[in-house]
Amino acid sequence: MVFYIGNYMNKTFSALYASAVPQLFSTFATKKHREMFRLVHVLVLSLFGVAVSMQLNAATTGAIHGSNGMVASRSMIASRAGVEVMKAGGNAIDGAVATAFALAVTHPSAGNLGGGGLMVIRLANGNIVTNDHREKAPAAAHRDMYLDAQGDVVKGLSTDTHLATGVPGSVAGLLDVLDAHGDLEREKVLAPAIALARDGFPLSFDLAAAFKRRLEAFSKHPATFKKFTRDNGTPLQEGDVWKQPDLAKTLVRIAEQGRDGFYKGKTADLLVAEMKANNGIITHQDLVDYQSVWREPVHGTYRGHDIYGMAPPSSGGVLVVQMLNMLEPYDIGAAGFGSASNVHKMIEAERRAYADRARHLGDPDYYEVPMAMLASKDYAKKRFADFNPARANRSTEIDPGNFDKESMETTHLSSMDIAGNMVAYTTTLNLSYGIKMIATGTGFLLNNEMDDFSSKPNTPNSFGLIGGEANAIQPGKRMLSSMSPTIVTKDGKPLLVTGSPGGSTIITTVFQVIVNVIDHAMNVADAVAAPRFHHQWQPDRVIYENRGLSPDTVRILQDKGHQQMSAWVFGGGIGDANSIMYVGEELQGKSDPRNDGGAAGF
Ligand code: GLY
């Protein structure tokens, strides 16, 4: 009885207090005052015993519940690192940056120092900002660098060699974001990642198995083989404590010196030496010249909600808005989740948006992207005018323009705090473990992001995506991305942070999570877990998660003319949409059940 009364009072206090926090928080103008208030806030929550969560209450929705801060990512250890710095007085931006650096340690296939990322941030005052730290083509890159004398693409050059590596942007971007909007000192935010790299952490089954599967690839590069094995050759096992001393030293240099700890000095020397020894082209000047860019977000609306995404060089933000615009005239909720009529409409929206991607999208600093047109409701209406509810269009009718296996790599984290700061962050090395080689002495893997350029017009890249002039290689240019970190608000208040890895399937994953929340009123756990399907214009094929569409739904869709439909057979499924929702006065987080990640809150 005492417990129930105590619990009731506790919850009532918690609800009242939490609802007042955003207002209280916004009255503090300076970073220092906000940090002091946050510390007091955490203390208050702890005193009243409401600093709960991790797994508590999960039974109510299948999500992790938090009353103060939350991170959802592909690695539970990394999410906890984010929560640790939030508990120490950090906001959601500090939490996201701490998690991102920790992912470089605990999720090395995609978490990175040697790659790039795109971040969408909603600040507690309601402003939306985005940071583009996509990799760039080195100054010595040129349009035909992956073609042979006959003008054909040389297989593997843009994926498996040092020539595949774009100038890394993650460290510059994360530090810029922290500087502009974090509440904590750099050293504090990097501390968990440094400790994880220096002291090690026990390998999960998932991670040990992933290393074993790649031993042959790692064995081609001595420093990489050493990093990913025990005693320079024995496969690492589940439970082994995995230490990464070189990576720890690189992280310490970044913590102590800021961007100079990566783009200059010892780290830069090691990276450039690695390039020189292996026919790579990244120079000291490329590193010094690298800058992240603050860009205007892409903004759209959907049934009274505001959708904020990343502008080009991401294709994701604008494609998500385009597809939602095409759906808006229809009552998707009434037709029901997974109904053939909804799936048909969504496939047709995806087909048209991806055709536009190939034609119009590239780095806006090098190519004029018709953003206003693509994101407008008017354009969506015209683009969808030839939609036929009874019949599938052929992709050649949409735009006369291959599809290998997909990689699940790239990774997404979401972070939110009760003050209303929200962070959607997607980061990548491109394919799993990038070129599968580290820069010797640095401990970090090199990306193969150059493959996201179109090496030759109308020739598919590793994701089967086709591009043209807009995404041709030029020195200093950013390659087109599908990364779609997204924030959704309603009436100016936080609602959803989402995003996903999955190459070309990133965009359709994010699109479907949003439709699940807005049209089907799903909670975050259901919205993230619900089965997905994907169409990307070329090849003209629908893929759907195993058992994600019922056999009779597939038959109806085939009768409409979706002739090529196949069940997805790679990895856990399509996407890994680690997401957070703001519900009433609490945060609900869900790491995608398709993978071995985790949401943590307090
Ligand atoms: N490298 C995957 C993407 O940026 O789309």
Side-chain angles (χ1 to χ4, degrees), residues 134 410 428 430 449 452 463 481-483:
R134 183 72 165 156
T410 298
T428 187
N430 194 24
E449 217 67 62
D452 272 348
F463 300 112
S481 173
S482 296
M483 292 190 285

Side-chain angles (χ1 to χ4, degrees), residues 5 11 71 276 369 400 535 564 600:
I5 293 170
K11 274 190 174 158
V71 179
K276 280 195 177 138
V369 179
H535 191 289
Q564 282 202 57

